[in-house]
Amino acid sequence: MPLAPFFPIMTLVWAISVNTAALTSLEEMIKMNPPTDIQIYPARLGEYVFSWSGKCTCVNDIYYQLAYSYLDSRNDEPWSSSIQTHQEKVDLEYHRGILVQVKLFHQHGHDSEISSNWTKKIFRPPRDLFASVDNLSCIFYGNTYMNCSWDINEKIPQDAQYFLSYRQEYEDYINNCTNYQLDEQRNVACSGHKYEMNLLSNINICVSELSNKTKLPYCRNIIPGHFYILYAPVNVTINKITDEVKWKLPEMDYKPICYTYQINITDWSDHFQKVADVNSTKYVISRDQKKRYSVQVRATVNYNCLQSFYWSDWSKPLHIEPDSMDFSLSTIVAVVTVIFIAIVLVLVFLCTKFKLLSKVSQPIPDPKEKFKGLFEDCDGDFQKWINKNPLLMTRTEECIPVTVNEV
């Protein structure tokens, strides 16, 4: 029997055997050589280097997987990276404490993986290893300015001094704050600093202690766009015919789709407030035209661009007074007629009750009835009437002598 027909089958069996043996050997190598001796040390500003030991010369589909998470209660997602070296540079908020994990793995196809066990290590650096500040926070305005503030430990000497620096991820250049706010003699904030980097690029913002250079800087690793605050909307107006409210942003650095607005409508009859989300710079409100309202608007950059965590300030309130009443000519005539009739009726009532008409119409006295001689005999000549009727003295007055004694 010829052997030629069996040769391909034998070759296939041999290849499968070899591959199986190689895969078994690789699996044993990976599982028997987990990483060891995880270390961490500082590098550039806000950057640290993770390193570990291992026997693997990682090529092809063999990698180390590095993962870390913070120990505090913040809801940060775990960070992970696949690399083929024994170290990795990472921007960290190291003062929060870190759980670091490393394993060796081989990606065999899309769904199959051979890996070693995780090697884990927890780093809890003492708080006094870092600059003596807490609660470092930063806000970015109008894609131009940056304000940062921090709290200083009360136990630190009064002459301790602090300065703020920041570095963009993967870059070497370090930027320093140019305008500080002082509390007595110490810097407690970086205010109005010119910021010219991309708001979507990760940056390390760090506060260092100038008086003690042995301490590590206290750092935050952030995306500036998440802490970006717009200026409040302006030119808020309403069309009272359509009840459409419109407004503008002082600066629009992005496309209209990037902005989300909130409109706050207050009914002053019961102080009820309605807040609605709006995706454009106009909104038709629903109102009772007999009531008084006020309207305010604020804005933020949404997930289409930056996904800011902050809203702008509310705009200045737009006060909407009740609509004026429009009276027709017939209504005005009717109102005037009713008022006139009411006045006439009041006057008639007063005259009847208090007999005002009879008192007003009393006759004027005739002097001829009182002084008949004056008008009948003297024709009204008063002097002639006086001379005709002289006054007679009815009693003679006596003279009483008075004696005056000389002194």
Side-chain angles (χ1 to χ4, degrees), residues 14-257:
W14 178 81
I16 293 174
S17 301
V18 171
N19 288 338
T20 302
L23 189 60
T24 302
S25 176
L26 179 62
E27 181 178 0
E28 291 178 354
M29 187 275 295
I30 290 176
K31 290 185 175 182
M32 296 299 293
N33 290 283
T36 60
D37 193 26
I38 301 175
Q39 301 292 331
I40 184 173
Y41 55 90
R44 296 174 294 190
L45 180 73
E47 182 183 67
Y48 291 83
V49 178
F50 290 123
S51 68
W52 56 90
S53 300
K55 296 181 179 180
C56 174
T57 303
C58 296
V59 293
N60 299 326
D61 294 330
I62 302 177
Y63 296 88
Y64 284 110
Q65 184 171 355
L66 169 67
Y68 74 85
S69 58
Y70 292 108
L71 300 181
D72 59 17
S73 59
R74 298 184 192 176
N75 295 323
D76 301 273
E77 294 184 2
W79 180 92
S80 179
S81 176
S82 297
I83 54 180
Q84 292 184 312
T85 64
H86 290 80
Q87 67 176 26
E88 179 75 340
K89 294 180 179 179
V90 181
D91 292 328
L92 291 176
E93 298 177 10
Y94 184 36
H95 62 277
R96 297 169 59 184
I98 300 172
L99 167 62
V100 183
Q101 303 180 83
V102 185
K103 72 176 181 178
L104 183 62
F105 76 97
H106 169 67
Q107 189 70 43
H108 183 63
H110 294 288
D111 301 322
S112 178
E113 177 183 295
I114 301 171
S115 64
S116 69
N117 293 327
W118 285 103
T119 299
K120 301 179 181 180
K121 188 170 183 179
I122 293 177
F123 294 90
R124 299 181 185 272
R127 185 62 187 85
D128 58 5
L129 183 64
F130 303 89
S132 304
V133 299
D134 286 298
N135 301 324
L136 172 61
S137 61
C138 295
I139 297 295
F140 299 82
Y141 296 92
N143 202 17
T144 304
Y145 292 100
M146 175 180 77
N147 287 350
C148 298
S149 62
W150 53 88
D151 297 331
I152 299 176
N153 192 315
E154 295 179 356
K155 299 180 181 180
I156 298 305
Q158 289 295 321
D159 61 350
Q161 192 54 274
Y162 304 89
F163 64 95
L164 181 140
S165 305
Y166 59 95
R167 179 185 60 82
Q168 188 169 327
E169 190 176 29
Y170 308 121
E171 300 291 336
D172 291 326
Y173 184 75
I174 295 176
N175 299 269
N176 298 312
C177 177
T178 56
N179 188 29
Y180 287 100
Q181 179 180 335
L182 302 178
D183 178 9
E184 295 180 354
Q185 297 180 350
R186 298 187 295 193
N187 298 330
V188 294
C190 175
S191 178
H193 173 74
K194 186 79 170 177
Y195 184 81
E196 298 178 322
M197 293 183 179
N198 190 328
L199 292 175
L200 289 175
S201 298
N202 282 63
I203 62 170
N204 288 288
I205 300 180
C206 302
V207 175
S208 301
E209 193 168 327
L210 186 62
S211 55
N212 192 339
K213 295 184 179 181
T214 61
K215 290 188 174 184
L216 294 174
Y218 180 95
C219 299
R220 292 286 311 278
N221 178 240
I222 66 171
I223 297 176
H226 293 169
F227 303 89
Y228 176 68
I229 295 183
L230 295 169
Y231 295 115
V234 296
N235 298 337
V236 183
T237 59
I238 184 172
N239 184 329
K240 282 197 171 185
I241 298 177
T242 62
D243 286 339
E244 183 180 67
V245 177
K246 292 184 178 181
W247 58 87
K248 294 181 180 179
L249 282 178
E251 297 181 2
M252 294 190 68
D253 299 318
Y254 305 97
K255 297 179 180 179
I257 196 176

